[in-house]
Amino acid sequence: MPELQLLAEPLLDANEAARLIKVPRSTLYELVRSRGLPHVKVGRALRFTRADLAIWIADNSYGRGTMRRRGK
């Protein structure tokens, strides 16, 4: 059950997620709003998983290495 594995991973708050992807917190919120950065709402707060952030980064990467990874 993949959802149980997901629950084993601690959720990151906006500050932690922004530090992880090395952007200001305001940019993180903009990415959520405009580019579909995956998140979970807990009340009014946004939470993030490392796995979702890694997948989003891979899916939104451009360049030579990305084309090879995607089989192009």
Side-chain angles (χ1 to χ4, degrees):
M1 292 176 29
E3 58 273 354
L4 291 179
Q5 290 174 333
L6 181 63
L7 292 175
E9 180 182 351
L11 294 173
L12 305 172
D13 65 23
N15 289 325
E16 294 166 327
R19 273 196 305 273
L20 183 66
I21 65 172
K22 297 183 177 11
V23 298
R25 194 173 69 178
S26 60
T27 300
L28 182 85
Y29 287 125
E30 179 61 24
L31 290 171
V32 166
R33 188 183 67 72
S34 67
R35 302 272 314 270
L37 185 67
H39 62 282
V40 176
K41 285 198 86 167
V42 180
R44 294 178 62 196
L46 300 182
R47 296 293 184 258
F48 305 84
T49 67
R50 289 176 182 271
D52 282 346
L53 293 173
I55 292 167
W56 185 87
I57 289 168
D59 288 347
N60 288 277
S61 295
Y62 302 94
R64 196 173 56 209
T66 303
M67 296 180 95
R68 227 184 351 260
R69 188 190 79 245
R70 291 184 179 172
K72 293 183 181 177

